[in-house]
Amino acid sequence: TAEAIAPTRIQNGSGMLRVRVLDNPQDGVERVWAVIYPPSYIPPSPTSGLVQETLDSINFTDRGDDWFEAVYHGFRERGAYRVVIYASDGEGLEARPVAITMNTGTQVYLPLVVH
């Protein structure tokens, strides 16, 4: 099982992602990684067949107590990012992916009131 926490702050395009991954002690968590889908990402059309995509991915570092962290330096676009986190154990079994969506650089437009 996995629990993901989006960055609480993005500074100069960088933000820390945290994820808690639980596995049985015999196998242990071998690898945790994420694929990042920027706001400008457009999925290939179903009629295009197999397509090689060039999405950013990051590897997480074990911080102990089942927590893993990674800093992503590519939060440069304004809008909603989709981050899909994967994990595998010592036997090569993969956990169900966890997806989080986070917004960067959102703007709030207030109505103009003129008296």
Side-chain angles (χ1 to χ4, degrees), residues 31-79:
R31 181 176 178 228
V32 180
W33 71 100
V35 176
I36 293 93
Y37 295 82
S40 61
Y41 173 75
I42 299 172
S45 72
T47 59
S48 63
L50 296 176
V51 176
Q52 177 68 39
E53 296 194 285
T54 56
L55 296 167
D56 287 344
S57 66
I58 54 173
N59 290 306
F60 286 73
T61 302
D62 188 347
R63 295 297 183 208
D65 294 329
D66 302 321
W67 284 98
F68 295 79
E69 293 177 344
V71 175
Y72 178 60
H73 300 286
F75 291 118
R76 304 265 181 229
E77 294 180 34
R78 181 174 292 166

mmCIF file of all heavy atoms in Angstrom, residues 31-79:
data_model
loop_
_atom_site.group_PDB
_atom_site.id
_atom_site.type_symbol
_atom_site.label_atom_id
_atom_site.label_comp_id
_atom_site.label_asym_id
_atom_site.label_seq_id
_atom_site.Cartn_x
_atom_site.Cartn_y
_atom_site.Cartn_z
ATOM 1 N N ARG A 31 12.217 -0.507 -4.780
ATOM 2 C CA ARG A 31 12.311 0.701 -5.601
ATOM 3 C C ARG A 31 10.997 1.455 -5.558
ATOM 4 O O ARG A 31 9.924 0.857 -5.597
ATOM 5 C CB ARG A 31 12.638 0.310 -7.043
ATOM 6 C CG ARG A 31 12.776 1.488 -7.972
ATOM 7 C CD ARG A 31 13.199 1.063 -9.381
ATOM 8 N NE ARG A 31 13.261 2.241 -10.238
ATOM 9 C CZ ARG A 31 12.713 2.320 -11.432
ATOM 10 N NH1 ARG A 31 12.100 1.275 -11.960
ATOM 11 N NH2 ARG A 31 12.794 3.430 -12.144
ATOM 12 N N VAL A 32 11.098 2.786 -5.486
ATOM 13 C CA VAL A 32 9.938 3.673 -5.577
ATOM 14 C C VAL A 32 10.281 4.740 -6.603
ATOM 15 O O VAL A 32 11.352 5.340 -6.542
ATOM 16 C CB VAL A 32 9.603 4.320 -4.210
ATOM 17 C CG1 VAL A 32 8.398 5.245 -4.340
ATOM 18 C CG2 VAL A 32 9.362 3.258 -3.144
ATOM 19 N N TRP A 33 9.395 4.965 -7.555
ATOM 20 C CA TRP A 33 9.634 5.958 -8.596
ATOM 21 C C TRP A 33 8.308 6.586 -9.015
ATOM 22 O O TRP A 33 7.238 6.080 -8.672
ATOM 23 C CB TRP A 33 10.361 5.356 -9.792
ATOM 24 C CG TRP A 33 9.552 4.407 -10.636
ATOM 25 C CD1 TRP A 33 8.945 4.694 -11.823
ATOM 26 C CD2 TRP A 33 9.261 3.025 -10.365
ATOM 27 N NE1 TRP A 33 8.297 3.571 -12.309
ATOM 28 C CE2 TRP A 33 8.479 2.535 -11.434
ATOM 29 C CE3 TRP A 33 9.577 2.154 -9.324
ATOM 30 C CZ2 TRP A 33 8.007 1.227 -11.486
ATOM 31 C CZ3 TRP A 33 9.111 0.848 -9.374
ATOM 32 C CH2 TRP A 33 8.344 0.394 -10.447
ATOM 33 N N ALA A 34 8.394 7.691 -9.736
ATOM 34 C CA ALA A 34 7.193 8.381 -10.200
ATOM 35 C C ALA A 34 7.386 8.855 -11.627
ATOM 36 O O ALA A 34 8.495 9.154 -12.057
ATOM 37 C CB ALA A 34 6.875 9.569 -9.294
ATOM 38 N N VAL A 35 6.283 8.943 -12.339
ATOM 39 C CA VAL A 35 6.244 9.522 -13.680
ATOM 40 C C VAL A 35 5.396 10.784 -13.571
ATOM 41 O O VAL A 35 4.323 10.766 -12.971
ATOM 42 C CB VAL A 35 5.649 8.542 -14.708
ATOM 43 C CG1 VAL A 35 5.530 9.189 -16.083
ATOM 44 C CG2 VAL A 35 6.492 7.275 -14.783
ATOM 45 N N ILE A 36 5.899 11.877 -14.128
ATOM 46 C CA ILE A 36 5.245 13.170 -13.998
ATOM 47 C C ILE A 36 4.625 13.577 -15.327
ATOM 48 O O ILE A 36 5.298 13.610 -16.359
ATOM 49 C CB ILE A 36 6.240 14.255 -13.509
ATOM 50 C CG1 ILE A 36 6.695 13.965 -12.079
ATOM 51 C CG2 ILE A 36 5.600 15.623 -13.531
ATOM 52 C CD1 ILE A 36 7.913 13.186 -11.955
ATOM 53 N N TYR A 37 3.323 13.898 -15.270
ATOM 54 C CA TYR A 37 2.581 14.359 -16.437
ATOM 55 C C TYR A 37 2.326 15.857 -16.262
ATOM 56 O O TYR A 37 1.545 16.252 -15.400
ATOM 57 C CB TYR A 37 1.246 13.613 -16.555
ATOM 58 C CG TYR A 37 1.407 12.135 -16.811
ATOM 59 C CD1 TYR A 37 1.658 11.246 -15.765
ATOM 60 C CD2 TYR A 37 1.310 11.631 -18.100
ATOM 61 C CE1 TYR A 37 1.813 9.894 -15.995
ATOM 62 C CE2 TYR A 37 1.456 10.266 -18.334
ATOM 63 C CZ TYR A 37 1.709 9.406 -17.282
ATOM 64 O OH TYR A 37 1.861 8.064 -17.518
ATOM 65 N N PRO A 38 2.997 16.716 -17.048
ATOM 66 C CA PRO A 38 2.830 18.163 -16.896
ATOM 67 C C PRO A 38 1.462 18.625 -17.410
ATOM 68 O O PRO A 38 0.769 17.883 -18.114
ATOM 69 C CB PRO A 38 3.965 18.730 -17.752
ATOM 70 C CG PRO A 38 4.210 17.698 -18.780
ATOM 71 C CD PRO A 38 3.935 16.372 -18.119
ATOM 72 N N PRO A 39 1.084 19.863 -17.082
ATOM 73 C CA PRO A 39 -0.204 20.387 -17.551
ATOM 74 C C PRO A 39 -0.347 20.367 -19.073
ATOM 75 O O PRO A 39 -1.454 20.217 -19.587
ATOM 76 C CB PRO A 39 -0.217 21.827 -17.031
ATOM 77 C CG PRO A 39 0.716 21.818 -15.870
ATOM 78 C CD PRO A 39 1.768 20.796 -16.196
ATOM 79 N N SER A 40 0.751 20.492 -19.795
ATOM 80 C CA SER A 40 0.692 20.526 -21.259
ATOM 81 C C SER A 40 0.619 19.136 -21.894
ATOM 82 O O SER A 40 0.518 19.024 -23.117
ATOM 83 C CB SER A 40 1.913 21.263 -21.812
ATOM 84 O OG SER A 40 3.107 20.573 -21.434
ATOM 85 N N TYR A 41 0.653 18.082 -21.079
ATOM 86 C CA TYR A 41 0.653 16.715 -21.623
ATOM 87 C C TYR A 41 -0.658 16.426 -22.349
ATOM 88 O O TYR A 41 -1.746 16.681 -21.834
ATOM 89 C CB TYR A 41 0.844 15.702 -20.497
ATOM 90 C CG TYR A 41 0.694 14.271 -20.964
ATOM 91 C CD1 TYR A 41 1.694 13.651 -21.713
ATOM 92 C CD2 TYR A 41 -0.454 13.539 -20.686
ATOM 93 C CE1 TYR A 41 1.559 12.350 -22.154
ATOM 94 C CE2 TYR A 41 -0.591 12.229 -21.119
ATOM 95 C CZ TYR A 41 0.410 11.647 -21.856
ATOM 96 O OH TYR A 41 0.278 10.348 -22.298
ATOM 97 N N ILE A 42 -0.525 15.907 -23.545
ATOM 98 C CA ILE A 42 -1.677 15.457 -24.330
ATOM 99 C C ILE A 42 -1.434 14.000 -24.670
ATOM 100 O O ILE A 42 -0.436 13.677 -25.327
ATOM 101 C CB ILE A 42 -1.835 16.286 -25.620
ATOM 102 C CG1 ILE A 42 -2.063 17.754 -25.267
ATOM 103 C CG2 ILE A 42 -2.974 15.744 -26.471
ATOM 104 C CD1 ILE A 42 -2.033 18.684 -26.449
ATOM 105 N N PRO A 43 -2.313 13.100 -24.210
ATOM 106 C CA PRO A 43 -2.088 11.677 -24.497
ATOM 107 C C PRO A 43 -2.195 11.406 -25.994
ATOM 108 O O PRO A 43 -2.920 12.096 -26.716
ATOM 109 C CB PRO A 43 -3.206 10.963 -23.730
ATOM 110 C CG PRO A 43 -4.191 12.002 -23.370
ATOM 111 C CD PRO A 43 -3.521 13.335 -23.440
ATOM 112 N N PRO A 44 -1.449 10.410 -26.470
ATOM 113 C CA PRO A 44 -1.537 10.069 -27.888
ATOM 114 C C PRO A 44 -2.938 9.575 -28.234
ATOM 115 O O PRO A 44 -3.619 9.000 -27.393
ATOM 116 C CB PRO A 44 -0.499 8.963 -28.076
ATOM 117 C CG PRO A 44 0.012 8.613 -26.736
ATOM 118 C CD PRO A 44 -0.526 9.579 -25.742
ATOM 119 N N SER A 45 -3.338 9.800 -29.457
ATOM 120 C CA SER A 45 -4.663 9.345 -29.876
ATOM 121 C C SER A 45 -4.681 7.824 -29.934
ATOM 122 O O SER A 45 -3.657 7.188 -30.211
ATOM 123 C CB SER A 45 -5.028 9.938 -31.237
ATOM 124 O OG SER A 45 -4.253 9.332 -32.244
ATOM 125 N N PRO A 46 -5.830 7.221 -29.672
ATOM 126 C CA PRO A 46 -5.926 5.759 -29.712
ATOM 127 C C PRO A 46 -5.574 5.169 -31.078
ATOM 128 O O PRO A 46 -5.162 4.026 -31.178
ATOM 129 C CB PRO A 46 -7.389 5.473 -29.382
ATOM 130 C CG PRO A 46 -7.908 6.714 -28.753
ATOM 131 C CD PRO A 46 -7.078 7.838 -29.272
ATOM 132 N N THR A 47 -5.694 5.955 -32.123
ATOM 133 C CA THR A 47 -5.407 5.448 -33.463
ATOM 134 C C THR A 47 -3.931 5.553 -33.835
ATOM 135 O O THR A 47 -3.530 5.076 -34.885
ATOM 136 C CB THR A 47 -6.231 6.216 -34.515
ATOM 137 O OG1 THR A 47 -5.907 7.603 -34.425
ATOM 138 C CG2 THR A 47 -7.723 6.008 -34.287
ATOM 139 N N SER A 48 -3.106 6.160 -32.952
ATOM 140 C CA SER A 48 -1.699 6.353 -33.298
ATOM 141 C C SER A 48 -0.836 5.117 -33.048
ATOM 142 O O SER A 48 0.337 5.113 -33.374
ATOM 143 C CB SER A 48 -1.127 7.546 -32.529
ATOM 144 O OG SER A 48 -1.166 7.300 -31.143
ATOM 145 N N GLY A 49 -1.400 4.066 -32.479
ATOM 146 C CA GLY A 49 -0.623 2.851 -32.220
ATOM 147 C C GLY A 49 0.338 3.043 -31.068
ATOM 148 O O GLY A 49 0.135 3.886 -30.202
ATOM 149 N N LEU A 50 1.418 2.297 -31.058
ATOM 150 C CA LEU A 50 2.404 2.419 -29.995
ATOM 151 C C LEU A 50 3.234 3.679 -30.207
ATOM 152 O O LEU A 50 3.722 3.939 -31.295
ATOM 153 C CB LEU A 50 3.315 1.198 -29.966
ATOM 154 C CG LEU A 50 2.643 -0.129 -29.632
ATOM 155 C CD1 LEU A 50 3.640 -1.272 -29.725
ATOM 156 C CD2 LEU A 50 2.041 -0.080 -28.241
ATOM 157 N N VAL A 51 3.383 4.444 -29.134
ATOM 158 C CA VAL A 51 4.101 5.713 -29.207
ATOM 159 C C VAL A 51 5.100 5.765 -28.067
ATOM 160 O O VAL A 51 4.774 5.454 -26.923
ATOM 161 C CB VAL A 51 3.122 6.905 -29.089
ATOM 162 C CG1 VAL A 51 3.871 8.219 -29.058
ATOM 163 C CG2 VAL A 51 2.116 6.888 -30.216
ATOM 164 N N GLN A 52 6.328 6.153 -28.361
ATOM 165 C CA GLN A 52 7.348 6.337 -27.324
ATOM 166 C C GLN A 52 7.143 7.710 -26.703
ATOM 167 O O GLN A 52 7.271 8.721 -27.376
ATOM 168 C CB GLN A 52 8.751 6.234 -27.932
ATOM 169 C CG GLN A 52 9.867 6.481 -26.943
ATOM 170 C CD GLN A 52 9.966 5.381 -25.893
ATOM 171 O OE1 GLN A 52 9.786 4.219 -26.211
ATOM 172 N NE2 GLN A 52 10.246 5.763 -24.676
ATOM 173 N N GLU A 53 6.796 7.743 -25.416
ATOM 174 C CA GLU A 53 6.578 9.022 -24.751
ATOM 175 C C GLU A 53 7.843 9.446 -24.019
ATOM 176 O O GLU A 53 8.633 8.608 -23.589
ATOM 177 C CB GLU A 53 5.405 8.925 -23.784
ATOM 178 C CG GLU A 53 4.093 8.650 -24.491
ATOM 179 C CD GLU A 53 2.907 8.883 -23.606
ATOM 180 O OE1 GLU A 53 2.659 8.044 -22.730
ATOM 181 O OE2 GLU A 53 2.254 9.905 -23.790
ATOM 182 N N THR A 54 8.008 10.736 -23.853
ATOM 183 C CA THR A 54 9.186 11.270 -23.176
ATOM 184 C C THR A 54 8.747 12.061 -21.950
ATOM 185 O O THR A 54 8.842 13.285 -21.918
ATOM 186 C CB THR A 54 10.005 12.165 -24.120
ATOM 187 O OG1 THR A 54 9.147 13.193 -24.610
ATOM 188 C CG2 THR A 54 10.589 11.377 -25.270
ATOM 189 N N LEU A 55 8.265 11.358 -20.958
ATOM 190 C CA LEU A 55 7.836 11.985 -19.719
ATOM 191 C C LEU A 55 8.966 11.913 -18.696
ATOM 192 O O LEU A 55 9.780 10.991 -18.720
ATOM 193 C CB LEU A 55 6.598 11.276 -19.172
ATOM 194 C CG LEU A 55 5.352 11.377 -20.048
ATOM 195 C CD1 LEU A 55 4.287 10.397 -19.582
ATOM 196 C CD2 LEU A 55 4.822 12.803 -20.018
ATOM 197 N N ASP A 56 9.009 12.900 -17.811
ATOM 198 C CA ASP A 56 10.005 12.888 -16.743
ATOM 199 C C ASP A 56 9.652 11.817 -15.719
ATOM 200 O O ASP A 56 8.478 11.559 -15.447
ATOM 201 C CB ASP A 56 10.044 14.239 -16.034
ATOM 202 C CG ASP A 56 10.689 15.325 -16.871
ATOM 203 O OD1 ASP A 56 11.365 14.992 -17.855
ATOM 204 O OD2 ASP A 56 10.521 16.504 -16.517
ATOM 205 N N SER A 57 10.690 11.216 -15.149
ATOM 206 C CA SER A 57 10.487 10.285 -14.035
ATOM 207 C C SER A 57 11.558 10.580 -12.988
ATOM 208 O O SER A 57 12.618 11.115 -13.296
ATOM 209 C CB SER A 57 10.551 8.830 -14.497
ATOM 210 O OG SER A 57 11.837 8.517 -14.952
ATOM 211 N N ILE A 58 11.233 10.247 -11.745
ATOM 212 C CA ILE A 58 12.159 10.465 -10.634
ATOM 213 C C ILE A 58 12.190 9.221 -9.760
ATOM 214 O O ILE A 58 11.219 8.467 -9.704
ATOM 215 C CB ILE A 58 11.773 11.696 -9.787
ATOM 216 C CG1 ILE A 58 10.324 11.585 -9.306
ATOM 217 C CG2 ILE A 58 12.009 12.986 -10.536
ATOM 218 C CD1 ILE A 58 9.910 12.675 -8.332
ATOM 219 N N ASN A 59 13.312 8.986 -9.114
ATOM 220 C CA ASN A 59 13.465 7.897 -8.165
ATOM 221 C C ASN A 59 13.442 8.462 -6.754
ATOM 222 O O ASN A 59 14.015 9.524 -6.490
ATOM 223 C CB ASN A 59 14.780 7.148 -8.397
ATOM 224 C CG ASN A 59 14.750 6.355 -9.677
ATOM 225 O OD1 ASN A 59 13.860 5.547 -9.895
ATOM 226 N ND2 ASN A 59 15.708 6.592 -10.544
ATOM 227 N N PHE A 60 12.801 7.739 -5.861
ATOM 228 C CA PHE A 60 12.685 8.152 -4.470
ATOM 229 C C PHE A 60 13.800 7.526 -3.639
ATOM 230 O O PHE A 60 14.275 6.432 -3.938
ATOM 231 C CB PHE A 60 11.327 7.727 -3.900
ATOM 232 C CG PHE A 60 10.175 8.561 -4.393
ATOM 233 C CD1 PHE A 60 9.706 8.422 -5.688
ATOM 234 C CD2 PHE A 60 9.566 9.476 -3.564
ATOM 235 C CE1 PHE A 60 8.649 9.184 -6.146
ATOM 236 C CE2 PHE A 60 8.500 10.242 -4.010
ATOM 237 C CZ PHE A 60 8.042 10.097 -5.305
ATOM 238 N N THR A 61 14.190 8.223 -2.570
ATOM 239 C CA THR A 61 15.204 7.755 -1.639
ATOM 240 C C THR A 61 14.528 7.321 -0.344
ATOM 241 O O THR A 61 13.644 8.020 0.161
ATOM 242 C CB THR A 61 16.207 8.895 -1.336
ATOM 243 O OG1 THR A 61 16.794 9.312 -2.570
ATOM 244 C CG2 THR A 61 17.293 8.428 -0.387
ATOM 245 N N ASP A 62 14.956 6.182 0.189
ATOM 246 C CA ASP A 62 14.409 5.665 1.437
ATOM 247 C C ASP A 62 14.856 6.553 2.594
ATOM 248 O O ASP A 62 16.051 6.755 2.811
ATOM 249 C CB ASP A 62 14.903 4.228 1.642
ATOM 250 C CG ASP A 62 14.243 3.524 2.814
ATOM 251 O OD1 ASP A 62 13.587 4.195 3.633
ATOM 252 O OD2 ASP A 62 14.397 2.295 2.906
ATOM 253 N N ARG A 63 13.899 7.086 3.357
ATOM 254 C CA ARG A 63 14.198 7.940 4.504
ATOM 255 C C ARG A 63 13.912 7.249 5.834
ATOM 256 O O ARG A 63 14.004 7.852 6.882
ATOM 257 C CB ARG A 63 13.401 9.251 4.429
ATOM 258 C CG ARG A 63 13.787 10.113 3.258
ATOM 259 C CD ARG A 63 15.226 10.540 3.380
ATOM 260 N NE ARG A 63 15.597 11.432 2.286
ATOM 261 C CZ ARG A 63 16.810 11.536 1.820
ATOM 262 N NH1 ARG A 63 17.788 10.837 2.330
ATOM 263 N NH2 ARG A 63 17.072 12.353 0.832
ATOM 264 N N GLY A 64 13.556 5.972 5.774
ATOM 265 C CA GLY A 64 13.284 5.204 6.991
ATOM 266 C C GLY A 64 11.827 5.274 7.398
ATOM 267 O O GLY A 64 11.067 6.138 6.946
ATOM 268 N N ASP A 65 11.432 4.355 8.262
ATOM 269 C CA ASP A 65 10.051 4.269 8.750
ATOM 270 C C ASP A 65 9.035 4.223 7.622
ATOM 271 O O ASP A 65 7.959 4.825 7.716
ATOM 272 C CB ASP A 65 9.727 5.427 9.702
ATOM 273 C CG ASP A 65 10.517 5.358 10.987
ATOM 274 O OD1 ASP A 65 10.831 4.235 11.435
ATOM 275 O OD2 ASP A 65 10.838 6.424 11.544
ATOM 276 N N ASP A 66 9.380 3.536 6.521
ATOM 277 C CA ASP A 66 8.502 3.331 5.359
ATOM 278 C C ASP A 66 8.282 4.587 4.518
ATOM 279 O O ASP A 66 7.455 4.585 3.625
ATOM 280 C CB ASP A 66 7.140 2.762 5.783
ATOM 281 C CG ASP A 66 7.256 1.456 6.532
ATOM 282 O OD1 ASP A 66 8.105 0.622 6.149
ATOM 283 O OD2 ASP A 66 6.509 1.259 7.518
ATOM 284 N N TRP A 67 9.015 5.680 4.777
ATOM 285 C CA TRP A 67 8.863 6.914 4.011
ATOM 286 C C TRP A 67 9.972 7.063 2.975
ATOM 287 O O TRP A 67 11.122 6.761 3.243
ATOM 288 C CB TRP A 67 8.868 8.131 4.939
ATOM 289 C CG TRP A 67 7.584 8.292 5.670
ATOM 290 C CD1 TRP A 67 7.312 7.880 6.946
ATOM 291 C CD2 TRP A 67 6.380 8.857 5.171
ATOM 292 N NE1 TRP A 67 6.013 8.167 7.273
ATOM 293 C CE2 TRP A 67 5.414 8.771 6.195
ATOM 294 C CE3 TRP A 67 6.019 9.433 3.953
ATOM 295 C CZ2 TRP A 67 4.113 9.245 6.038
ATOM 296 C CZ3 TRP A 67 4.721 9.895 3.804
ATOM 297 C CH2 TRP A 67 3.786 9.807 4.840
ATOM 298 N N PHE A 68 9.586 7.549 1.802
ATOM 299 C CA PHE A 68 10.500 7.779 0.686
ATOM 300 C C PHE A 68 10.287 9.210 0.200
ATOM 301 O O PHE A 68 9.158 9.715 0.205
ATOM 302 C CB PHE A 68 10.230 6.787 -0.448
ATOM 303 C CG PHE A 68 10.504 5.361 -0.065
ATOM 304 C CD1 PHE A 68 9.601 4.633 0.695
ATOM 305 C CD2 PHE A 68 11.686 4.750 -0.456
ATOM 306 C CE1 PHE A 68 9.862 3.317 1.052
ATOM 307 C CE2 PHE A 68 11.951 3.440 -0.099
ATOM 308 C CZ PHE A 68 11.045 2.723 0.663
ATOM 309 N N GLU A 69 11.367 9.863 -0.246
ATOM 310 C CA GLU A 69 11.288 11.240 -0.708
ATOM 311 C C GLU A 69 12.023 11.414 -2.032
ATOM 312 O O GLU A 69 12.984 10.700 -2.314
ATOM 313 C CB GLU A 69 11.942 12.194 0.304
ATOM 314 C CG GLU A 69 11.228 12.295 1.617
ATOM 315 C CD GLU A 69 11.946 13.199 2.603
ATOM 316 O OE1 GLU A 69 13.137 13.523 2.396
ATOM 317 O OE2 GLU A 69 11.303 13.571 3.593
ATOM 318 N N ALA A 70 11.543 12.384 -2.788
ATOM 319 C CA ALA A 70 12.215 12.758 -4.035
ATOM 320 C C ALA A 70 11.910 14.221 -4.312
ATOM 321 O O ALA A 70 10.818 14.709 -4.021
ATOM 322 C CB ALA A 70 11.739 11.903 -5.199
ATOM 323 N N VAL A 71 12.887 14.920 -4.866
ATOM 324 C CA VAL A 71 12.685 16.303 -5.280
ATOM 325 C C VAL A 71 12.593 16.316 -6.798
ATOM 326 O O VAL A 71 13.443 15.760 -7.487
ATOM 327 C CB VAL A 71 13.844 17.211 -4.798
ATOM 328 C CG1 VAL A 71 13.675 18.621 -5.346
ATOM 329 C CG2 VAL A 71 13.918 17.220 -3.282
ATOM 330 N N TYR A 72 11.547 16.953 -7.292
ATOM 331 C CA TYR A 72 11.378 17.116 -8.730
ATOM 332 C C TYR A 72 11.646 18.579 -9.060
ATOM 333 O O TYR A 72 11.095 19.481 -8.430
ATOM 334 C CB TYR A 72 9.973 16.706 -9.158
ATOM 335 C CG TYR A 72 9.707 16.889 -10.629
ATOM 336 C CD1 TYR A 72 10.474 16.224 -11.574
ATOM 337 C CD2 TYR A 72 8.702 17.731 -11.083
ATOM 338 C CE1 TYR A 72 10.245 16.382 -12.922
ATOM 339 C CE2 TYR A 72 8.460 17.905 -12.433
ATOM 340 C CZ TYR A 72 9.236 17.224 -13.347
ATOM 341 O OH TYR A 72 9.010 17.391 -14.692
ATOM 342 N N HIS A 73 12.514 18.809 -10.037
ATOM 343 C CA HIS A 73 12.935 20.163 -10.387
ATOM 344 C C HIS A 73 12.247 20.700 -11.640
ATOM 345 O O HIS A 73 12.658 21.724 -12.172
ATOM 346 C CB HIS A 73 14.456 20.207 -10.591
ATOM 347 C CG HIS A 73 15.220 19.796 -9.374
ATOM 348 N ND1 HIS A 73 15.356 20.593 -8.269
ATOM 349 C CD2 HIS A 73 15.871 18.634 -9.078
ATOM 350 C CE1 HIS A 73 16.074 19.966 -7.343
ATOM 351 N NE2 HIS A 73 16.392 18.778 -7.814
ATOM 352 N N GLY A 74 11.217 20.025 -12.109
ATOM 353 C CA GLY A 74 10.589 20.425 -13.368
ATOM 354 C C GLY A 74 9.206 21.024 -13.261
ATOM 355 O O GLY A 74 8.464 21.043 -14.239
ATOM 356 N N PHE A 75 8.816 21.519 -12.086
ATOM 357 C CA PHE A 75 7.513 22.161 -11.944
ATOM 358 C C PHE A 75 7.590 23.576 -12.523
ATOM 359 O O PHE A 75 7.605 24.559 -11.809
ATOM 360 C CB PHE A 75 7.076 22.213 -10.469
ATOM 361 C CG PHE A 75 6.746 20.884 -9.879
ATOM 362 C CD1 PHE A 75 7.484 20.393 -8.805
ATOM 363 C CD2 PHE A 75 5.705 20.119 -10.362
ATOM 364 C CE1 PHE A 75 7.178 19.169 -8.238
ATOM 365 C CE2 PHE A 75 5.394 18.889 -9.807
ATOM 366 C CZ PHE A 75 6.136 18.411 -8.745
ATOM 367 N N ARG A 76 7.676 23.662 -13.833
ATOM 368 C CA ARG A 76 7.883 24.956 -14.492
ATOM 369 C C ARG A 76 6.616 25.494 -15.168
ATOM 370 O O ARG A 76 6.536 26.677 -15.464
ATOM 371 C CB ARG A 76 8.979 24.831 -15.548
ATOM 372 C CG ARG A 76 10.278 24.318 -14.995
ATOM 373 C CD ARG A 76 11.202 25.451 -14.648
ATOM 374 N NE ARG A 76 12.464 24.921 -14.143
ATOM 375 C CZ ARG A 76 13.038 25.350 -13.032
ATOM 376 N NH1 ARG A 76 12.477 26.287 -12.320
ATOM 377 N NH2 ARG A 76 14.176 24.838 -12.641
ATOM 378 N N GLU A 77 5.656 24.623 -15.417
ATOM 379 C CA GLU A 77 4.427 25.060 -16.081
ATOM 380 C C GLU A 77 3.368 25.410 -15.043
ATOM 381 O O GLU A 77 3.341 24.847 -13.961
ATOM 382 C CB GLU A 77 3.875 23.949 -16.981
ATOM 383 C CG GLU A 77 4.749 23.601 -18.149
ATOM 384 C CD GLU A 77 4.139 22.507 -18.999
ATOM 385 O OE1 GLU A 77 2.902 22.447 -19.135
ATOM 386 O OE2 GLU A 77 4.902 21.681 -19.517
ATOM 387 N N ARG A 78 2.507 26.321 -15.412
ATOM 388 C CA ARG A 78 1.383 26.673 -14.558
ATOM 389 C C ARG A 78 0.228 25.737 -14.881
ATOM 390 O O ARG A 78 -0.072 25.495 -16.048
ATOM 391 C CB ARG A 78 0.979 28.115 -14.822
ATOM 392 C CG ARG A 78 -0.162 28.581 -13.962
ATOM 393 C CD ARG A 78 -0.410 30.029 -14.164
ATOM 394 N NE ARG A 78 0.752 30.736 -13.609
ATOM 395 C CZ ARG A 78 1.028 31.994 -13.838
ATOM 396 N NH1 ARG A 78 0.265 32.716 -14.632
ATOM 397 N NH2 ARG A 78 2.088 32.563 -13.293
ATOM 398 N N GLY A 79 -0.371 25.157 -13.851
ATOM 399 C CA GLY A 79 -1.519 24.293 -14.071
ATOM 400 C C GLY A 79 -1.445 23.029 -13.247
ATOM 401 O O GLY A 79 -0.711 22.941 -12.265
#
